[in-house]
Amino acid sequence: MTAPALPQPRGDLSAAVITALSGGDTAPDSTLPPTVDPYGDDLQLALYVLYELHYRGFEGVPDELEWDPGLLAVRRALERPFLAALRRDVPPGTSAQEALDALLVEPVGHDDSSVSHHLQRDGELWQLTEYAALRSLYHLKEADPHAWVIPRLRGRAKAGMVAVEFDEFGAGRPEEIHARLYADLMDDLGLDTTYGHYLDRAPAVALATVNLMSLFGLHRALRGALVGHFATVEVTSSPGSRRMAAALRRTGAGKAAQRFYDEHVEADAVHEQVVRRDVVGGLLADEPHLEADIAFGVHATGLLEDRFGAQVLKAWRQQHSALRTLPQDGTERKPS
């Protein structure tokens, strides 16, 4: 399995991390400047790179750096402002049930703030292709971040979580693993299916949605928030996937591209019930003190998805690319 290349830095923080991973002699300083933007490109890329050490790593980076104390200290320093900003910006005081119930309310008619609504009705093939490239940072490792929570659950919550993850990982069939199906979707759209290929093209709003899963998954103290995130994904997936499948059919994308979302329409309608009843319900029965964390996970997911959608739609409505333009790349539209 070939690991991806390290990305290009986007500021002092990410440059220090990437230099250290590239064999630099000096460990990064874990003291952050007080003006660092918790949602900005520099912090989010630095955090993403450090999280990737727990997944597939990077080409030329020794595996033992995954647990390097200096790098872990830097990661913790980066996590603190990100988590503090999320806690500051999410709505306070709702129960887990109220947070999840709100997700079940589908808008009447067209929702101008929704990427999937836009793609279903007005999206062009190049926009669907860009969307697929951006989402590949998660979908090519789909379900991996959520698997971190399994050893931290027990009883009904663990059984429900494993049942859903079993489907995500192909129910024993490697060709049906959802990450494999997503690679097929990308191939239909003419995209490079190499893991991590579009990292340099992904803006901070896309990195943050993936970093959130790793933040929650890698901390046992945030297991309730991870369950909230997982529940949000499963509750919202089926209607969103139905719109994406319709968009792909309308624009003439290939059958493999359509199949990825068709699979999620059916599977996630079932998963939603299991997650709400067994995973969330089981965790609340076992550890009722985690209810606020579950609600926080739901709201934090919504916050970052809203930020992602707003930036992407703003670019597309101006007929601009939502991808970052690299210094040596003058193209504005088609991802490469």
Side-chain angles (χ1 to χ4, degrees), residues 306-325:
D306 287 347
R307 288 173 57 87
F308 171 84
Q311 182 167 318
V312 167
L313 287 173
K314 180 179 179 181
W316 288 348
R317 285 167 180 154
Q318 296 171 351
Q319 288 296 297
H320 294 158
S321 173
L323 304 177
R324 294 180 70 248
T325 300

Side-chain angles (χ1 to χ4, degrees), residues 1-7 17 21 44-59 61-63 65-66 75 136-142 144-145 148 195-197 199 207 210-211 214-215 218:
M1 181 173 63
T2 304
L6 283 164
V17 167
L21 296 181
Q44 289 297 325
L45 179 62
L47 198 52
Y48 184 96
V49 168
L50 290 171
Y51 283 146
E52 275 301 307
L53 298 180
H54 301 289
Y55 296 101
R56 299 197 191 179
F58 292 96
E59 183 181 3
V61 176
D63 290 343
L65 289 183
E66 177 184 2
R75 197 191 87 191
S136 69
L137 297 184
Y138 166 62
H139 282 303
L140 289 180
K141 62 168 174 268
E142 184 169 340
D144 290 351
W148 293 110
Y195 181 91
H197 179 80
L199 176 54
L207 300 182
V210 186
N211 284 341
S214 298
L215 171 66
L218 288 167

Side-chain angles (χ1 to χ4, degrees), residues 9-317:
R10 304 184 192 180
D12 292 341
L13 296 175
S14 52
V17 167
I18 291 167
T19 298
L21 296 181
S22 301
D25 295 331
T26 305
D29 188 350
S30 60
T31 303
L32 303 187
T35 57
V36 65
D37 180 359
Y39 299 127
D41 271 301
D42 195 21
L43 184 143
Q44 289 297 325
L45 179 62
L47 198 52
Y48 184 96
V49 168
L50 290 171
Y51 283 146
E52 275 301 307
L53 298 180
H54 301 289
Y55 296 101
R56 299 197 191 179
F58 292 96
E59 183 181 3
V61 176
D63 290 343
E64 57 266 26
L65 289 183
E66 177 184 2
W67 298 110
D68 179 83
L71 293 173
L72 290 175
V74 173
R75 197 191 87 191
R76 186 63 179 143
L78 296 167
E79 289 174 332
R80 285 193 179 105
F82 183 37
L83 186 57
L86 292 169
R87 293 199 183 279
R88 178 195 68 209
D89 294 338
V90 302
T94 62
S95 68
Q97 186 67 48
E98 289 169 333
L100 290 171
D101 284 348
L103 300 177
L104 295 172
V105 180
E106 278 284 294
V108 177
H110 181 75
D111 180 359
D112 283 335
S113 67
S114 164
V115 173
S116 63
H117 276 261
H118 165 81
L119 290 173
Q120 179 185 31
R121 192 185 73 174
D122 303 316
E124 300 176 43
L125 187 57
W126 70 269
Q127 294 172 341
L128 281 157
T129 304
E130 285 200 347
Y131 184 78
L134 291 173
R135 290 301 197 187
S136 69
L137 297 184
Y138 166 62
H139 282 303
L140 289 180
K141 62 168 174 268
E142 184 169 340
D144 290 351
H146 298 122
W148 293 110
V149 83
I150 293 172
R152 294 155 183 175
L153 303 175
R154 60 186 180 185
R156 184 155 54 104
K158 175 175 279 192
M161 191 76 192
V162 170
V164 176
E165 289 281 87
F166 181 66
D167 286 347
E168 301 285 349
F169 292 129
R173 293 167 293 171
E175 71 278 6
E176 297 297 316
I177 292 174
H178 285 188
R180 174 68 259 170
L181 298 181
Y182 198 79
D184 294 341
L185 172 150
M186 294 177 71
D187 192 52
D188 261 5
L189 293 171
L191 291 166
D192 192 312
T193 63
T194 306
Y195 181 91
H197 179 80
Y198 292 100
L199 176 54
D200 278 323
R201 305 299 302 271
V205 289
L207 300 182
T209 64
V210 186
N211 284 341
L212 184 71
M213 303 178 220
S214 298
L215 171 66
F216 291 166
L218 288 167
H219 291 274
R220 188 176 64 85
L222 295 172
R223 62 194 179 280
L226 191 282
V227 166
H229 182 284
F230 188 64
T232 304
V233 170
E234 297 301 328
V235 168
T236 59
S237 176
S238 187
S241 294
R242 186 176 293 107
R243 289 189 288 271
M244 291 299 299
L248 288 162
R249 288 190 176 89
R250 181 179 59 78
T251 55
K255 290 183 178 179
Q258 297 166 25
R259 187 181 173 223
F260 175 82
Y261 286 108
D262 284 338
E263 170 73 14
H264 283 71
V265 171
E266 181 178 346
D268 290 344
V270 176
H271 291 171
E272 175 207 328
Q273 300 301 316
V274 176
V275 171
R276 285 169 61 86
R277 181 186 65 244
D278 294 328
V279 182
V280 175
L283 183 60
L284 286 174
D286 217 25
E287 300 187 87
H289 62 282
L290 293 181
E291 176 157 15
D293 286 347
I294 295 172
F296 169 65
V298 173
H299 291 308
T301 305
L303 171 74
L304 295 184
E305 288 295 331
D306 287 347
R307 288 173 57 87
F308 171 84
Q311 182 167 318
V312 167
L313 287 173
K314 180 179 179 181
W316 288 348
R317 285 167 180 154

